């Protein structure tokens, strides 16, 4: 019996040491992405496998700023027009391929405190949903919304933070409210958007 107890303690110590070591290795990479806004030639990864990207493979220029949404890695990249600002945010993405729209668009309208109404297709799938929700804590668009030139598509905040990093939207790209608030201040009508 004492021998069994000894094995249990050793396994617990091993697991605790492994978790502590893994946590200490992951933190510097995350901090590097969160703190370091400039892009260099090296590829850096944080604990969620996001990687900083260069804008050039995706845009011919950064006129009006540029947003790249990578639906596979569930990340949004933003470059300011003068390249002085680079942001990388985790996102929610559409639940399925049939709800996903890829390609080039742009921001055509910005709303602080948006209201929400379900699209006709949403109502077909969910007839019990409310027809309108005004601004506030129950609004699915969160605190801010960037309306795209594609009808019904937006980049917006969310009150439900569990959605971020998941396939959980009905077509839009969701951000934490604090991230959409920052992005809202950095973008303007005409900011380029590419979803890949």
């Amino acid at each position: 019996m004492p021998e069994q107890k000894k094995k249990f303690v050793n396994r617990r110590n091993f697991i605790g040491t492994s978790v502590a070591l893994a946590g200490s290795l992951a933190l510097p990479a995350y901090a590097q992405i969160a703190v370091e806004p400039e892009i260099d030639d090296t590829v850096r990864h944080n604990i969620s496998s996001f990687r900083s990207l260069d804008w050039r493979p995706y845009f011919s220029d950064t006129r009006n700023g540029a947003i790249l949404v990578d639906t596979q890695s569930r990340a949004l990249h933003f470059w300011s027009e003068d390249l002085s600002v680079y942001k990388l945010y985790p996102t929610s993405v559409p639940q399925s391929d049939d709800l996903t729209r890829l390609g080039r668009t742009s921001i055509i309208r910005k709303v602080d405190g948006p209201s929400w109404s379900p699209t006709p297709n949403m109502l077909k799938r969910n007839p019990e949903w409310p027809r309108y929700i005004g601004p506030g804590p129950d609004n699915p668009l969160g605190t801010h919304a960037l309306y795209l030139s594609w009808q019904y598509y937006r980049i917006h905040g969310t009150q439900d933070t569990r959605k971020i990093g998941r396939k959980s939207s009905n077509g839009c790209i969701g951000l934490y409210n604090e991230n959409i608030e920052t992005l809202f201040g950095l973008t303007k009508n005409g900011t380029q958007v590419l979803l890949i």
Side-chain angles (χ1 to χ4, degrees):
M1 177 117 170
E3 193 171 312
Q4 288 177 343
K5 186 174 182 181
K6 187 176 180 181
K7 286 181 183 176
F8 178 75
V9 171
N10 287 340
R11 186 179 348 175
R12 180 183 291 171
N13 288 342
F14 174 76
I15 292 171
T17 303
S18 299
V19 169
L21 180 60
S24 67
L25 291 174
L27 285 176
Y30 174 76
Q32 187 175 17
I33 290 295
V35 175
E36 180 61 51
E38 294 188 27
I39 303 169
D40 61 25
D41 292 334
T42 62
V43 175
R44 297 181 301 264
H45 295 271
N46 72 9
I47 58 176
S48 299
S49 297
F50 293 156
R51 57 191 174 100
S52 59
L53 297 175
D54 184 56
W55 63 272
R56 285 174 280 243
Y58 306 98
F59 300 95
S60 60
D61 59 49
T62 55
R63 186 175 34 87
N64 296 324
I67 292 173
L68 172 69
V69 178
D70 184 338
T71 59
Q72 297 304 306
S73 67
R74 300 172 194 162
L76 181 146
H77 303 262
F78 169 78
W79 297 271
S80 62
E81 183 169 9
D82 65 2
L83 299 174
S84 65
V85 178
Y86 171 74
K87 298 288 183 181
L88 172 59
Y89 297 124
T91 69
S92 63
V93 296
Q95 297 172 23
S96 61
D97 290 343
D98 63 311
L99 295 173
T100 304
R101 184 153 184 192
L102 303 177
R104 294 187 185 279
T105 183
S106 63
I107 295 172
I108 61 166
R109 185 172 155 223
K110 297 171 50 171
V111 179
D112 182 350
S115 59
W116 176 81
S117 294
T119 67
N121 284 335
M122 287 178 188
L123 286 175
K124 282 181 192 173
R125 291 189 306 271
N126 305 284
E128 74 283 1
W129 281 8
R131 300 300 190 259
Y132 174 84
I133 298 177
D138 296 326
N139 191 299
L141 299 183
T143 60
H144 296 78
L146 303 172
Y147 289 65
L148 304 178
S149 62
W150 300 331
Q151 186 178 23
Y152 304 127
Y153 288 86
R154 298 162 187 35
I155 299 170
H156 61 79
T158 182
Q159 313 297 0
D160 187 354
T161 58
R162 298 170 299 172
K163 291 184 171 189
I164 303 302
R166 299 175 183 234
K167 290 184 172 186
S168 59
S169 82
N170 283 289
C172 293
I173 302 302
L175 297 172
Y176 290 117
N177 279 330
E178 59 269 21
N179 293 343
I180 190 64
E181 184 176 354
T182 302
L183 188 63
F184 186 91
L186 293 169
T187 58
K188 58 186 173 183
N189 289 342
T191 295
Q192 306 172 71
V193 179
L194 172 60
L195 278 77
I196 59 171

